């Protein structure tokens, strides 16, 4: 099983739609939905996870599991119960976000200093949600250190989660290499035989990384994030289905732009395209060229004209359909 990771401010419904069209991804997890001091209306869940209006799936049919973030077990349970009425393909809980603003509000990775609270949150949500809706969790190895990694994993296990994603770094380690895959293996050894499905996450950039991660962690299942954004064919490569050339990525650009134009304010649209190209350029030299050409452009009409020229220049005929997004 290959899961697409949640990435606040980047991997939203637009990019989920685009990336899942190429294939290889079994399921996505949404960006977090923050729960603070109120019962959210249905529209708050749909705003972050518009796939809920499509049976909880992307256009390509890939399930999207909404993720909740907060620290109050009762409020999280109440919101999970309301979210469950929208029939999501599961509900995930965030114990991994390293953002300072989130942690200062007692959310995300800072909760890993309180394994008992982590367990109460998971148990409360599990009780509040119908049995047919899975409840999962995503955690880091810890906040400032990994001393309580086993305690948190056991708390999540005992509370009834069906899956546990472990990002192989602490909050203090951020996203700095390396990911400590061997630490996931030790956490797995501390869990009972009837444990949740364990999923390894962190520093998986290519198929070789995936193989090594599986060997070191003992986890068959993986979650990929920045690697999939950088290389939209990564999941397929991990499955042994070959790599996706730049000509296979080009048809995704007008689709991405159309989705961005429908969801994002005009003044921010160019930034979203350049944000993705900034990742793509680490895998494709052509994306570096594109990034350089668009660096100073902010006008949507100029971006649209560039996309049309790019399709022609990189071998995509005018009739290539952005909706089908098939390699040209």
């Amino acid at each position: 099983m290959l899961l697409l990771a949640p990435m606040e401010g980047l991997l939203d419904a637009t990019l989920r739609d685009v990336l899942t069209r190429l294939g290889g991804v079994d399921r996505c997890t949404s960006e977090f939905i923050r729960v603070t001091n109120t019962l959210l209306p249905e529209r708050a869940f749909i705003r972050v996870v518009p796939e809920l209006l499509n049976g909880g799936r992307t256009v390509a049919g890939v399930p999207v599991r909404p993720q909740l973030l907060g620290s109050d077990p009762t409020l999280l349970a109440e919101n999970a119960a309301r979210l469950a009425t929208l029939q999501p393909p599961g509900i995930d809980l965030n114990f991994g976000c390293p953002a300072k603003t989130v942690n200062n509000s007692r959310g995300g990775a800072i909760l890993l200093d309180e394994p008992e609270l982590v367990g109460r949150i998971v148990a409360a949500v599990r009780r509040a949600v119908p049995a047919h809706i899975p409840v999962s969790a995503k955690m880091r190895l810890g906040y400032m250190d990994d001393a309580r990694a086993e305690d948190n994993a056991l708390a999540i296990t005992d509370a009834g989660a069906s899956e546990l994603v472990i990002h192989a770094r602490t909050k203090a380690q951020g996203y700095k290499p390396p990911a400590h895959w061997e630490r996931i293996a030790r956490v797995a050894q501390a869990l009972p035989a009837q444990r949740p499905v364990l999923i390894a996450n962190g520093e998986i950039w290519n198929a070789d990384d995936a193989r090594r991660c599986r060997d070191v962690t003992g986890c068959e299942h993986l979650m990929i994030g920045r690697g999939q954004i950088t290389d939209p064919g990564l999941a397929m490569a991990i499955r042994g289905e070959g790599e996706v050339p730049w000509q296979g990525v080009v048809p995704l650009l007008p689709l991405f732009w159309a989705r961005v134009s429908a969801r994002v304010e005009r003044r921010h649209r160019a930034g979203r395209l350049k944000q993705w190209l900034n990742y793509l350029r680490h895998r494709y030299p052509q994306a570096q060229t594109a990034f350089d050409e668009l660096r100073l452009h902010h006008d949507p009409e100029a971006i649209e004209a560039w996309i049309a020229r790019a399709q022609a220049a990189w071998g995509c005929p005018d009739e290539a359909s952005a909706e089908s997004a098939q390699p040209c």
Side-chain angles (χ1 to χ4, degrees):
M1 181 166 61
L2 294 175
L3 308 185
L4 188 59
M7 295 184 67
E8 181 67 18
L10 176 61
L11 222 171
D12 61 0
T14 295
L15 203 46
R16 286 194 297 268
D17 178 5
V18 171
L19 292 177
T20 55
R21 291 183 185 233
L22 281 177
V25 173
D26 292 300
R27 194 178 73 230
C28 307
T29 302
S30 81
E31 326 94 286
F32 64 75
I33 301 165
R34 190 191 295 258
V35 174
T36 52
N37 56 5
T38 188
L39 179 60
L40 296 171
E42 289 185 358
R43 66 178 180 276
F45 303 119
I46 293 170
R47 182 172 61 250
V48 177
V49 193
E51 295 96 339
L52 290 167
L53 299 176
N54 187 45
R57 295 174 179 269
T58 68
V59 173
V62 177
V64 180
R65 187 168 291 188
Q67 185 184 77
L68 300 180
L69 177 147
S71 59
D72 186 309
T74 300
L75 272 172
L76 282 164
E78 291 174 353
N79 277 276
R82 174 164 288 180
L83 174 56
T85 65
L86 299 174
Q87 295 300 311
I91 295 175
D92 193 66
L93 295 168
N94 183 316
F95 303 112
C97 180
K100 184 176 180 180
T101 54
V102 171
N103 295 162
N104 286 347
S105 299
R106 207 164 176 240
I110 199 169
L111 297 180
L112 297 173
D113 281 343
E114 303 178 68
E116 187 273 337
L117 175 58
V118 167
R120 286 198 290 119
I121 289 171
V122 177
V125 170
R126 180 64 279 176
R127 287 193 300 269
V129 172
H132 72 277
I133 296 180
V135 172
S136 56
K138 185 173 188 287
M139 59 173 271
R140 283 179 172 250
L141 292 174
Y143 189 61
M144 297 307 294
D145 59 55
D146 65 358
R148 308 201 73 176
E150 284 83 0
D151 293 339
N152 282 295
L154 282 166
I156 291 168
T157 296
D158 293 343
S162 59
E163 293 178 7
L164 172 59
V165 176
I166 303 179
H167 182 131
R169 283 179 280 232
T170 64
K171 178 269 180 190
Q173 291 163 341
Y175 294 96
K176 183 180 179 181
H180 302 280
W181 296 333
E182 72 286 348
R183 194 66 182 85
I184 295 178
R186 297 205 300 274
V187 171
Q189 292 170 0
L191 298 180
Q194 298 300 316
R195 68 189 190 192
V197 174
L198 282 186
I199 301 158
N201 173 229
E203 291 300 305
I204 300 171
W205 296 95
N206 53 54
D208 286 340
D209 289 341
R211 282 190 289 270
R212 290 190 297 108
C213 182
R214 283 169 166 160
D215 289 343
V216 172
T217 64
C219 296
E220 175 63 24
H221 309 295
L222 305 175
M223 175 174 276
I224 49 181
R226 291 177 299 159
Q228 185 73 15
I229 297 169
T230 301
D231 179 1
L234 175 58
M236 294 177 66
I238 292 172
R239 294 181 181 279
E241 297 176 8
E243 298 183 351
V244 174
W246 177 246
Q247 284 74 18
V249 176
V250 172
L252 301 178
L253 298 178
L255 172 65
F256 178 77
W257 181 252
R259 296 293 181 265
V260 165
S261 297
R263 291 174 56 86
V264 178
E265 288 184 33
R266 179 183 174 88
R267 61 194 176 98
H268 295 307
R269 293 172 191 170
R272 284 300 309 276
L273 179 60
K274 285 182 276 189
Q275 181 188 39
W276 189 26
L277 286 171
N278 188 41
Y279 278 87
L280 291 172
R281 66 189 178 132
H282 296 289
R283 168 68 174 81
Y284 301 100
Q286 300 93 331
Q288 178 68 66
T289 301
F291 183 82
D292 291 341
E293 291 179 358
L294 291 177
R295 193 190 312 245
L296 300 179
H297 286 285
H298 304 285
D299 183 66
E301 283 73 20
I303 299 291
E304 289 166 7
W306 176 88
I307 288 174
R309 292 195 304 271
Q311 287 184 280
W314 282 312
C316 292
D318 293 338
E319 63 270 19
S321 170
E323 286 300 314
S324 63
Q326 295 299 316
C328 57

